[in-house]
Amino acid sequence: MRITLSILKADVGSIGGHTKPSEGMMEATRRAVADAIDKKLLIDGYVAHTGDDIAMIVSHTRGADNDDIHQFAWQTFLGATAIAQKGGLYGAGQDLLVDAPSGNIRGAGPAVAELEFDHDPVKTNPVRPAESFMVFAADKCGPGAYNLPLFLGFADPMYCGGLMLPQMIQGFRFNIIDMDHTEGDSIIELNAPEDVYKIAMLLRDNERFGIDSIYSRRYGEQAAAVSAQRLHSIAGTYTGKDDPVALVRNQRIFPAPEELVSPFTKAHYIGGDARGSHVMPLMPVPINTPVTGIYCLPLVSCVGFSLDADGCFSNEVVDIFDNPAWDYVRIRAQEKALAMRDQGWSGAAMLPYNELEYSGFRDTVEGLLSQFSVRNGHEAATMSATSSSQ
């Protein structure tokens, strides 16, 4: 059967500021997903939150970018928004950037990632005798948060020893999107290992270039899908950070879970944090973690699933970052965060001017620029000389 996995995530309101959605919002979302399963729109679904973002992970047979699936998600987010508004919660409907999208909701605010593949999990299947995958969901961070870890997991044998095995040694194709291009998706295809330096050249810029998808070069199977979009490019103003999601298949012809998550031990620096304008480390956290730590440390969760022959999720999921081994990484992330925020507004502690999400900050600077004048009247003299020569 042809199966589609979709993750759709949005911030539509939270308690006491940007912390977490209310249980009423979560329960309404779970009921909506259960109802969609009963109506045969979905095969299965799972609902959770990372920080203040509600995520729906669903399986179905309708393909990627399906209007019915996306409209279901939009209406579900609207329902949660109504609950947030009634309760006076902060940022109700924040990520719903258009009034009523008529079809799929890419570019309308919610983070969307989808994988579509032929699903035949039997022992005689030489490529995928069993289907397992992971869902990454991030909050308080920019769209390129997965650039470094996915690059290391799919292109660097120091992190993924499996890349030296016959089924992966041909490498992976990286589809990279230019997120500054708003008139349609602008994509370049680059192959690892031979294009690895070119891939790194692009992915170093987390604010402009992002991984859109990754494919096995030997089998042609899609390994990963990432929501790579800029909310401020869509809305024209700051509405919250981009908070990306990713779907990543694992095992057999793809890296194993431990190979895919090992790069997150770096707690690497990304754009995000309070008002989306600082440079801070990405902290791996258990699913359903609220934003209540010091500052607004960028968070990422990871949940593992198995998929049966009918497209249903396993009865249990595994919370990858809910393990004592990650406690050390969380402490390291907090130490890195304190060191960076100790520098306050100066230099590398904040994003470059053109990437600041503080719109008021830019307005103030632009107002000050209009008050600058050239010392000693040089500009006036030059203008006068130019006028005389004409």
Side-chain angles (χ1 to χ4, degrees):
M1 67 186 298
R2 191 73 175 168
I3 199 81
T4 306
L5 301 175
S6 303
I7 175 170
L8 309 108
K9 180 171 76 71
D11 175 2
V12 291
S14 55
I15 303 166
H18 284 302
T19 61
K20 69 172 187 176
S22 70
E23 181 52 36
M25 296 166 66
M26 295 296 295
E27 181 56 33
T29 305
R30 287 189 285 263
R31 286 198 305 268
V33 169
D35 185 57
I37 294 170
D38 289 342
K39 293 178 178 177
K40 308 302 182 184
L41 176 66
L42 305 176
I43 299 174
D44 208 348
Y46 178 85
V47 177
H49 74 87
T50 299
D52 54 11
D53 296 344
I54 298 175
M56 293 179 283
I57 301 99
V58 300
S59 61
H60 55 93
T61 58
R62 296 173 181 251
D65 292 326
N66 177 265
D67 288 356
D68 292 337
I69 298 296
H70 283 229
Q71 284 298 305
F72 153 74
W74 185 263
Q75 294 302 319
T76 301
F77 286 136
L78 284 178
T81 296
I83 295 171
Q85 290 172 331
K86 184 176 180 180
L89 272 58
Y90 186 79
Q94 174 176 286
D95 282 355
L96 308 185
L97 303 183
V98 299
D99 289 334
S102 57
N104 79 70
I105 60 175
R106 289 184 188 272
V112 179
E114 295 180 293
L115 276 169
E116 187 178 357
F117 52 90
D118 290 323
H119 184 52
D120 184 26
V122 294
K123 286 186 177 182
T124 54
N125 186 332
V127 178
R128 299 297 286 170
E131 187 61 49
S132 57
F133 67 95
M134 304 154 76
V135 173
F136 293 92
D139 188 25
K140 303 295 177 285
C141 64
Y146 305 123
N147 281 0
L148 179 60
L150 288 182
F151 171 83
L152 296 176
F154 281 95
D156 190 339
M158 290 290 286
Y159 287 84
C160 178
L163 292 170
M164 296 181 286
L165 295 174
Q167 62 265 36
M168 282 186 275
I169 202 166
Q170 292 182 25
F172 291 86
R173 185 179 86 238
F174 286 71
N175 291 347
I176 298 173
I177 187 168
D178 181 352
M179 293 177 288
D180 278 359
H181 192 275
T182 58
E183 299 175 0
D185 292 345
S186 180
I187 303 283
I188 185 172
E189 296 181 1
L190 294 172
N191 291 322
E194 57 264 43
D195 293 329
V196 71
Y197 295 159
K198 296 176 183 177
I199 295 170
M201 281 287 291
L202 294 177
L203 297 185
R204 61 159 295 279
D205 188 345
N206 291 324
E207 306 304 321
R208 177 169 181 179
F209 300 105
I211 295 171
D212 173 80
S213 52
I214 302 173
Y215 287 80
S216 165
R217 294 175 64 190
R218 177 174 179 180
Y219 298 97
E221 289 275 343
Q222 186 172 356
V226 183
S227 67
Q229 64 179 9
R230 304 295 305 277
L231 290 188
H232 74 63
S233 296
I234 298 169
T237 186
Y238 178 66
T239 63
K241 211 57 182 169
D242 308 281
D243 302 339
V245 295
L247 282 164
V248 185
R249 299 165 75 190
N250 59 43
Q251 299 288 180
R252 197 73 177 193
I253 65 171
F254 304 129
E258 59 272 21
E259 294 168 327
L260 291 166
V261 299
S262 61
F264 287 92
T265 60
K266 290 180 175 293
H268 62 292
Y269 284 114
I270 57 172
D273 190 59
R275 297 185 176 89
S277 293
H278 300 267
V279 177
M280 291 285 271
L282 183 62
M283 178 186 282
V285 298
I287 195 68
N288 299 323
T289 295
V291 179
T292 55
I294 302 169
Y295 304 117
C296 278
L297 210 61
L299 307 178
V300 60
S301 62
C302 179
V303 181
F305 295 79
S306 285
L307 199 67
D308 73 12
D310 296 322
C312 291
F313 299 151
S314 45
N315 290 333
E316 300 176 34
V317 300
V318 58
D319 190 343
I320 302 291
F321 294 143
D322 186 17
N323 181 293
W326 292 98
D327 291 343
Y328 170 77
V329 178
R330 286 188 271 274
I331 292 172
R332 184 177 182 218
Q334 192 61 68
E335 290 173 342
K336 292 177 68 172
L338 292 172
M340 184 61 87
R341 285 302 296 258
D342 192 51
Q343 192 166 313
W345 48 265
S346 177
M350 291 187 72
L351 289 171
Y353 176 75
N354 62 325
E355 289 295 337
L356 286 174
E357 300 290 4
Y358 288 109
S359 58
F361 189 105
R362 291 197 300 271
D363 293 342
T364 299
V365 172
E366 289 170 3
L368 291 171
L369 287 174
S370 67
Q371 300 175 41
F372 276 67
S373 60
V374 178
R375 184 177 293 170
N376 298 327
H378 176 73
E379 182 179 30
T382 303
M383 292 176 63
S384 177
T386 303
S387 299
S388 299
S389 65
Q390 291 175 344

